[in-house]
Amino acid sequence: MAVLAVGTPVAYATLGNDAPSASRSATSVGAVRGKAYIETRLFFGTERPDGGPVVTDSQFSAFIDEEVTPRFPNGLTIQDGRGQWRDSHGAIERERRYELTLLYPASEARVRDVQIERIRNAYEKAYAQESVARIEERATADF
């Protein structure tokens, strides 16, 4: 599935065990910033494949309040956007979408994985969606 995403990253991501060069030089002088986090982005489409009405802002807000906030009460980021992807019938679908960004300690990854999958499944079921895209990156964050 290809997704066109526009937005500002929440944290600087580091993939694998390699730190960015600025972090390496900071480490060499003893100053280390941030802790290991996981940044998960979920992409929620608003068009219904069954031809039903689009998901409204108020419906999405209620979904966040009921399904996401209880699992991630420390915070989240939501961005509006436009995207496209190829559906299961091969058609290119263009739609308004919501991008949800969750940032949580890497030590919580196993527990959070289950919670995130429940969120994805709940949205797919509630709004007749074929899928909710999920992207994850390792990040270093300092608050």
Side-chain angles (χ1 to χ4, degrees), residues 57-67 127:
D57 286 341
S58 61
Q59 287 173 316
F60 190 74
S61 290
F63 178 82
I64 293 296
D65 291 345
E66 295 166 17
E67 298 290 340
Y127 299 107

Side-chain angles (χ1 to χ4, degrees), residues 22-33:
S23 294
R24 269 189 238 123
S25 61
T27 302
S28 64
V29 294
V32 178
R33 296 267 189 253

Side-chain angles (χ1 to χ4, degrees), residues 1 34 40 46 52 54 61-62 74 84 87 118 125 134 138-139:
M1 169 188 317
T40 298
T46 57
V54 298
S61 290
N74 290 340
Q84 72 179 43
D87 70 13
R118 287 186 180 145
K125 183 178 178 182
R134 178 178 179 172
R138 292 186 177 275

